[in-house]
Every structure is written in C-alpha cells, then in structure tokens.
Amino acid sequence: MNDLSEIIQSDRNAIRQALTERLQRPELSAVSHLRVFDADYLLDSIVASVRQTEESAGQSWADALRGEVCGVIPSRKEIFAALEIVEQTLVFFIIKQAERKQTMLQATSEMSQALNRFRQRYLAAAEGSNLASQSNEQFRFLADHDQDFICLTRANGELFYLNSAGRQTLGLNETASASNVKLHELYDEDSWATFRDEGVPAVNKTGRWQGRLRLRNSQTGELTNVNATLTLMRSNEGSRGNTLAVVHRKTESASTDMEEALKEAQARKRSILESSLDPIVTVNHEGAIAEFNRAAEQAFGYPRSKIIGTRPTEILFPPGMDPKERDRIERYLCAGEGSLLGKRSELNAVRADGETFPVEMAMTISQEHGAPVMSFFVRDISERKKAEEAQQRYSAELERSNRELEQFAYVASHDLQEPLRKIRTFSDRLMVKQAERLDDDGRDCLQRMHNAAARMQSLIDGLLSLSRITTHGQHFVPVDLNAIAAEVISDLEEPIRRSEGRVETENLPTLQADPMQMRQLLQNLIANGLKFHRVDETPIVKVSGGYLRASGPGDPRREISECRIVVEDNGIGFEEKYADRIFGIFQRLHPRDVFEGTGIGLAICRRIAERHGGFIAAKSVPGRGSRFEITLPVRHKAKNESPEDSDDGAVT
C-alpha cells in the first residue's frame, strides 16, 4: 500500500466529511451533484489512479464524468475549482497524519499526480479527438466564455487556439489568426525564460506545471500578472500529437503573495500546534480560548470543542486561584506586556475530572489581525514534582541517618575509652609486677592482651577522628598548603628516616579550608606512601598541585573555581578493582603482620574531601606505585569571596 492510500484509509471518515462539506459551495452547484464528485467515489478513484499505470490512470473517472453528463462537459473553471478544493483538503490531512517529512512529501506527490491526471483526462474529454484541428465547437464555446486566458499549442510550440479572454489580454482582434502569434511574444523576457527553462521541462516530466508569469499586451505593452498552469495532453499518436494547454488566471502579485504566505503560515502554525508534545493554549484579545491543541486535550481531559470560547481561569485553573493571577491575563492583553511574559512560572491547573496538578507555564503575546493574542505553553510537571519530593525525603532521611551514625560512632568510641584504659592499666601493672611469677605461656598471653588493647585504642582513636571531621571541624579560612606540607614532613621525620625515603613537594595552591583537616589529609596520604614501599627500592613520595581553570573568555583569574592536589608514590601499588574499596572504614588489602594500621586513614581522607565539597580518587598499578588525586573548591559561597581576593595573592 502506498503512502497516500494509507493516509486516506486511516482517516477516511473525517476526509469524507470534509470533502462533502466543502464541495457544497454555491459556486460549485454545477458539479457538486455529480456522482464523480461524491466523496467516497472521489477517494476510491484517487487511490485507484495512484495504483494504475500512467496510460490508464484517471481514465475511469473521466469516462464516468462524460457518461453522467451525456457529453455536455461542465466548464473547466468549475471542474478545476472542485479539484482544487479536493487537493487543499487532502493536503491538510496529509500534513496532519504524516509522521515523517519523507512520508508527507511522497503522499503529496502521489495526490498531485492523481489529480493532474483527472485534469488531463477532463481536458481530453472536453476537447474530443478533433480539438487539435479546431473542430470542437463545444470546447470553443466553453473556453470563449471563460474569463481566464486559455491557449493551446502543438508539440513544436505553435499556437493554434486563443480564447476571447486571451485575445483581449494580448490586444488582438477576434479575426487575427492564432498561428501568427509566437508563443514567446505572449510574455516579457523574464517570464518567457521561466516558461522555457522551468515550465516546459517540468510539464514534459510530470504532465503539469504551475508558476507566476507576466503577459504583455501587443498594442500597449502593458504587463499583466497571471498564475499560469501548463497541462500536457498526451496523444495516442506519440509525442508529435501532444497538445499543451496553458491557462492564465489574472492576479494581483502582492495580494496573492500575501495570501499564499498567510496560508503557509497558518498551515505551519497548525502543524506545530498539533505536533507539540506539550499543551499549547491561545487566548484571543477578548480573553477567550481560541486554540487548544491535541496535547492540551490529553493533559486537561477536555475536548477542544468544549474549551474553545471559554476563559482559561474559568475552567483550566482551580477556583481557589489568587484573584491577582486571574486578572493577570486580562491586564497583559490590555497592556501588551507583563513581568511574567517569556518567563517560566509554576502553578496548579485542574483536569476535567477535578484533579489538580502542577504545571510549568510560559506566556507570550503576539499580534493577529491587529489584536493581541496570548499563548500559554504548558508542561505537566507532576512526575518531576514527585521525583523532587522523593529526593528531598531521601536527602533528609540520609542526612538524619548520617547524623545519627556520627553521633553513635562518637558516643560509642568515647564510652569505650574508660574500660579500655582500665584494661591497659591492669595489663601494664601485671607486666611490671607479676611478669616474673608467670611462665612463658602466661607472659605471652599477657603480651597479646596488651597488644590487642593497643590496637583497640588505635581503632577507637580512628573512629573518633572520623566522626569529628563533621562534628568538630573548624571554620574554613585561607590555607597555604605549602606551609601545611612542610609541617607534615617535619612531623614524619622519624618514619622518613626509618624508611630511608624522601618527600618531594612542588608549589601547592592556597584555598579556603579547615587547616587541621588539610594537615590530617596530607599526613595520612604521605604516611601511606612511606609505609607501603617496596623493600628493594627507596620510597619516594611526591606532592604537587595546581589550580583548575575553566575555559572561555574573560579574566582568567575569575575562572578559577577548583584546585587539584596529587600525592603519588613508587610503592607496592594495588589492583584498580580496589580503587574504591580502599576508602571504606576498616578496609585493608594486606595482613596486619605485614603492614600495620587500622584501615581508617583513607576513609578519613575521603570524609575530609567531601566535607570541603570535593572528592578523592585513586589510581594504581601493582608494583609501580599509587596516585591519589584530591579535587577541592578554592572558594566557598559562605565566604562571599572571589579568587582574586586571596590575602597572599597565590591564586594567579
């Protein structure tokens, strides 16, 4: 099935109704009663014409027309006017139904070809087989009484017929022979070029062409603007017997251009309205709804027929709406401007079943026929609101849970301190005073108990440090990381000496931060780099950093928003699959008897980075060292400072 047939079958009832109504116009009374212009017969004939070959297409319709009128063919003007209405109606439904541009173009082409065949078959029926020899008096009578300029030419371009309207337009008398008139003499130079270079190739290819031309009066030289239609009537004798019919209809160029542009704009507007996924409601200068698209029908639950002519504040918005909001539309229409025009605002709307729902709405004002028209672009944000509420509940619950966990960790760690101190105190006393009374097994058990208590103390201290990052953090102040790194290296002097390693630092940034937590962050990372070293290589830890600049025009100083700190070592490394696991609490990749520690250090580093609005990430290759990257904001909004306001001028 072709594209046009599918469109006709999918909406046949609506197309039939539209054709029946439009073909009942008074000016079409001479043809509207004919069976060949019955809506169903027309649609079936068009579909059949599309399926048939070029030679047979449209012939059945023309034969039915000739048989119905008993040889007295209606005037070309009436037949062509009726077929034009059919074409306009089908174009409307093609645009409405076609989902893809390619489908629309294909269906339009099929429809135009089918109706052109109807026109050709009609002209052939009107002429009769002897029209070329100027013997069809019936055709002459019809053509000579037509107000449009009609001429006929042979395949070689020779004119052999001009109707009365054509002779008047060209300034020729009734007795002048048409064969003495050259076709190119009918037009001005530009129009003849259009006729020759565009019209003739097109009509030879498709059988029909339409365009804008200007006729020249041979007596006065006056030019007349016309819409020209070229139709090729093919002969059974071959191309030499073909006849070209040229129909010229007078028109005022400017008004026709405006009319066509208006039709195109209206069709484009209707297409946009109906294809929009969001509701669009248009209110005229009287405050009544003039447009209500398909998406609006689905969103509000009202049919378009019930909404048109009502006021939006009467039916689309709840009765409890603020009176100021209800008056806003009338005020905007009167003034032609308003504070909310072009801006998005949120309010509640009401469906046909009484359900209220949140919408996001933007309003614009335009002019139609000299009067202001307001358009509402509405978006149902019910799902978005539900998602936002769910996110808020989740965030609040998560925040509460985190506070409870932090409080629990702090209280639990604090409460464990006292019994742990007693365990360590008594174990120390036993080791000093009673060790000689114990055998080797007893002393070993005592030593194990002492070591376990020490590890327990380290774990509790780590938990306390982790919980205090948020609960006992200091205010953010400008922090020079170069000074912090120097202090950390000084504190780690003994581990550095013991491992025979070294720590190298480059120029580090200055940022707003908690100085104690920055110190703890660097100390944990540097200490890890020294601790997890290879036995056959001197440990080297490098600390570097810099500012991250956003791309774009303007002063680069104003584009600094973040800084990056990098701590890398040449140690044992780890597999990439553990890059996230190592930041968990009590997570260790190595046995305690190989590398001592509590498994809390990197968890503290992540918590510090997050508290400062940043993040930390790790990269590593086993046997080739590790690299930790910390990205932190340079400034925090609470300080109301810009990067160039730094006291030490380090941000450059």
Side-chain angles (χ1 to χ4, degrees):
M1 183 179 290
N2 52 62
D3 294 327
L4 179 61
S5 300
E6 291 178 354
I7 290 173
I8 290 176
Q9 294 304 323
S10 65
D11 210 2
R12 187 181 181 97
N13 291 336
I15 298 175
R16 181 199 304 118
Q17 182 178 355
L19 283 174
T20 301
E21 293 175 357
R22 299 190 69 182
L23 288 172
Q24 296 304 315
R25 295 181 179 178
E27 62 268 29
L28 301 178
S29 58
V31 298
S32 60
H33 67 283
L34 297 177
R35 177 175 175 270
V36 292
F37 281 101
D38 172 77
D40 281 321
Y41 188 86
L42 265 173
L43 294 177
D44 291 338
S45 299
I46 291 171
V47 172
S49 177
V50 172
R51 295 172 177 169
Q52 292 169 351
T53 63
E54 181 70 21
E55 290 74 22
S56 61
Q59 188 61 51
S60 299
W61 182 86
D63 292 342
L65 171 64
R66 185 166 47 226
E68 188 173 4
V69 298
C70 300
V72 183
I73 305 296
S75 74
R76 182 201 61 80
K77 181 177 180 180
E78 292 169 332
I79 293 291
F80 277 33
L83 291 177
E84 185 174 355
I85 286 177
V86 174
E87 186 171 2
Q88 293 173 354
T89 303
L90 289 178
V91 166
F92 171 82
F93 283 94
I94 288 172
I95 294 175
K96 177 182 177 183
Q97 293 293 329
E99 297 180 355
R100 297 183 298 108
K101 183 177 180 181
Q102 184 63 34
T103 301
M104 181 179 70
L105 293 176
Q106 180 64 27
T108 303
S109 175
E110 293 171 354
M111 178 269 299
S112 298
Q113 291 177 10
L115 293 179
N116 284 341
R117 292 164 185 159
F118 285 10
R119 294 183 180 96
Q120 294 170 16
R121 301 307 181 194
Y122 160 78
L123 289 176
E127 293 173 51
S129 60
N130 297 320
L131 181 58
S133 62
Q134 307 176 25
S135 62
N136 193 323
E137 296 300 327
Q138 185 182 68
F139 172 81
R140 286 176 175 274
F141 177 82
L142 295 173
D144 284 340
H145 286 79
D146 199 309
Q147 296 180 354
D148 294 335
F149 172 4
I150 301 175
C151 67
L152 302 177
T153 76
R154 295 186 174 89
N156 60 3
E158 178 185 355
L159 275 169
F160 66 82
Y161 175 74
L162 283 171
N163 72 341
S164 297
R167 294 174 181 273
Q168 293 175 7
T169 302
L170 299 177
L172 300 176
N173 58 48
E174 293 293 331
T175 60
S177 174
S179 60
N180 294 329
V181 180
K182 302 300 182 183
L183 187 60
H184 67 85
E185 296 175 351
L186 303 183
Y187 310 99
D188 68 356
E189 185 175 345
D190 292 339
S191 294
W192 171 243
T194 301
F195 186 104
R196 180 191 62 216
D197 300 335
E198 296 181 18
V200 172
V203 80
N204 284 332
K205 183 177 181 180
T206 65
R208 192 167 187 265
W209 177 82
Q210 287 182 316
R212 190 73 54 77
L213 302 174
R214 284 188 295 181
L215 295 170
R216 178 191 290 117
N217 187 293
S218 61
Q219 302 297 323
T220 65
E222 179 184 1
L223 298 176
T224 303
N225 293 312
V226 296
N227 283 327
T229 301
L230 279 62
T231 303
L232 184 64
M233 296 177 290
R234 302 185 186 276
S235 170
N236 295 329
E237 301 174 3
S239 60
R240 289 187 177 183
N242 290 346
T243 300
L244 179 64
V246 186
V247 180
H248 307 83
R249 178 170 296 175
K250 293 182 180 180
T251 180
E252 293 295 331
S253 178
S255 62
T256 301
D257 287 342
M258 291 178 61
E259 183 178 345
E260 290 183 357
L262 180 60
K263 288 181 179 179
E264 291 177 0
Q266 290 175 339
R268 188 162 52 249
K269 174 186 173 183
R270 172 55 54 187
S271 177
I272 293 173
L273 283 173
E274 294 306 319
S275 61
S276 173
L277 298 178
D278 291 329
I280 300 177
V281 182
T282 300
V283 178
N284 62 23
H285 66 284
E286 296 178 348
I289 296 175
E291 293 288 352
F292 198 72
N293 71 342
R294 188 177 304 171
E297 290 182 314
Q298 296 173 352
F300 288 95
Y302 289 102
R304 184 175 183 272
S305 57
K306 182 176 181 179
I307 287 294
I308 298 299
T310 65
R311 293 182 176 272
T313 53
E314 293 176 352
I315 194 166
L316 301 183
F317 302 104
M321 184 180 182
D322 188 343
K324 293 181 180 179
E325 296 292 334
R326 290 176 173 269
D327 296 338
R328 191 188 299 274
I329 297 173
E330 285 77 5
R331 289 190 286 107
Y332 283 7
L333 285 171
C334 292
E337 59 182 13
S339 60
L340 290 183
L341 291 177
K343 300 179 181 178
R344 292 189 177 275
S345 58
E346 293 184 6
L347 66 159
N348 288 326
V350 61
R351 305 188 201 274
D353 59 5
E355 176 193 1
T356 59
F357 64 103
V359 298
E360 186 178 65
M361 185 174 69
M363 297 180 286
T364 62
I365 283 186
S366 58
Q367 294 285 324
E368 286 189 10
H369 308 296
V373 174
M374 178 176 289
S375 296
F376 297 87
F377 300 87
V378 184
R379 176 165 295 174
D380 186 345
I381 56 173
S382 301
E383 295 302 320
R384 192 180 81 186
K385 285 293 185 182
K386 291 178 181 177
E388 289 175 355
E389 292 173 359
Q391 181 64 30
Q392 290 175 356
R393 289 195 300 269
Y394 174 77
S395 297
E397 179 64 22
L398 184 60
E399 184 178 355
R400 182 191 62 79
S401 177
N402 286 338
R403 285 198 305 267
E404 290 179 353
L405 286 174
E406 290 171 358
Q407 185 67 19
F408 171 79
Y410 177 77
V411 171
S413 300
H414 187 272
D415 290 347
L416 288 174
Q417 294 277 23
E418 181 59 28
L420 183 60
R421 277 196 296 268
K422 290 183 177 180
I423 293 173
R424 297 193 66 183
T425 298
F426 286 117
S427 68
D428 289 342
R429 186 178 299 175
L430 285 172
M431 291 183 69
V432 172
K433 295 183 177 181
Q434 305 294 330
E436 294 180 355
R437 299 183 182 182
L438 299 174
D439 57 14
D440 291 341
D441 288 340
R443 284 192 293 271
D444 181 63
C445 290
L446 184 59
Q447 186 63 46
R448 287 174 180 268
M449 180 179 68
H450 184 79
N451 293 340
R455 287 198 303 273
M456 176 67 107
Q457 184 66 55
S458 298
L459 291 174
I460 291 174
D461 291 342
L463 283 174
L464 284 173
S465 297
L466 187 65
S467 65
R468 286 170 177 168
I469 290 173
T470 303
T471 59
H472 289 70
Q474 299 180 8
H475 293 298
F476 292 171
V477 296
V479 175
D480 182 359
L481 292 181
N482 292 292
I484 296 294
E487 294 174 1
V488 169
I489 294 173
S490 177
D491 291 345
L492 295 175
E493 182 177 356
E494 178 58 26
I496 294 173
R497 183 194 63 77
R498 196 167 53 245
S499 64
E500 298 181 351
R502 68 176 185 269
V503 179
E504 300 174 356
T505 62
E506 298 179 4
N507 188 33
L508 298 174
T510 296
L511 72 160
Q512 282 185 346
D514 182 330
M516 291 301 297
Q517 292 184 359
M518 287 296 101
R519 181 179 182 132
Q520 189 171 15
L521 174 69
L522 290 180
Q523 182 167 322
N524 287 0
L525 293 175
I526 294 173
N528 276 359
L530 295 171
K531 179 170 61 174
F532 296 103
H533 69 274
R534 288 178 286 172
V535 296
D536 58 344
E537 190 167 345
T538 300
I540 300 174
V541 180
K542 297 180 180 180
V543 184
S544 60
Y547 296 104
L548 302 180
R549 299 181 184 275
S551 60
D555 184 355
R557 292 170 60 87
R558 292 187 175 275
E559 296 167 5
I560 296 173
S561 60
E562 294 178 326
C563 66
R564 179 170 294 159
I565 307 160
V566 179
V567 180
E568 53 187 336
D569 61 61
N570 62 343
I572 61 174
F574 56 86
E575 295 184 21
E576 283 285 346
K577 65 181 180 180
Y578 299 122
D580 187 65
R581 173 185 167 184
I582 59 175
F583 293 104
I585 300 176
F586 303 135
Q587 294 298 320
R588 300 173 55 90
L589 301 183
H590 308 282
R592 190 166 48 247
D593 57 351
V594 178
F595 293 102
E596 62 179 9
T598 61
I600 298 180
L602 289 179
I604 291 175
C605 291
R606 169 176 278 185
R607 186 68 64 86
I608 291 174
E610 291 174 347
R611 188 204 168 205
H612 285 74
F615 59 90
I616 182 172
K619 299 178 181 178
S620 182
V621 176
R624 297 178 59 181
S626 303
R627 176 185 175 94
F628 292 85
E629 296 182 358
I630 308 98
T631 303
L632 301 173
V634 174
R635 290 287 181 269
H636 293 271
K637 294 181 180 180
K639 295 297 180 181
N640 295 319
E641 293 182 299
S642 58
E644 64 266 31
D645 295 330
S646 177
D647 295 337
D648 56 7
V651 182
T652 59

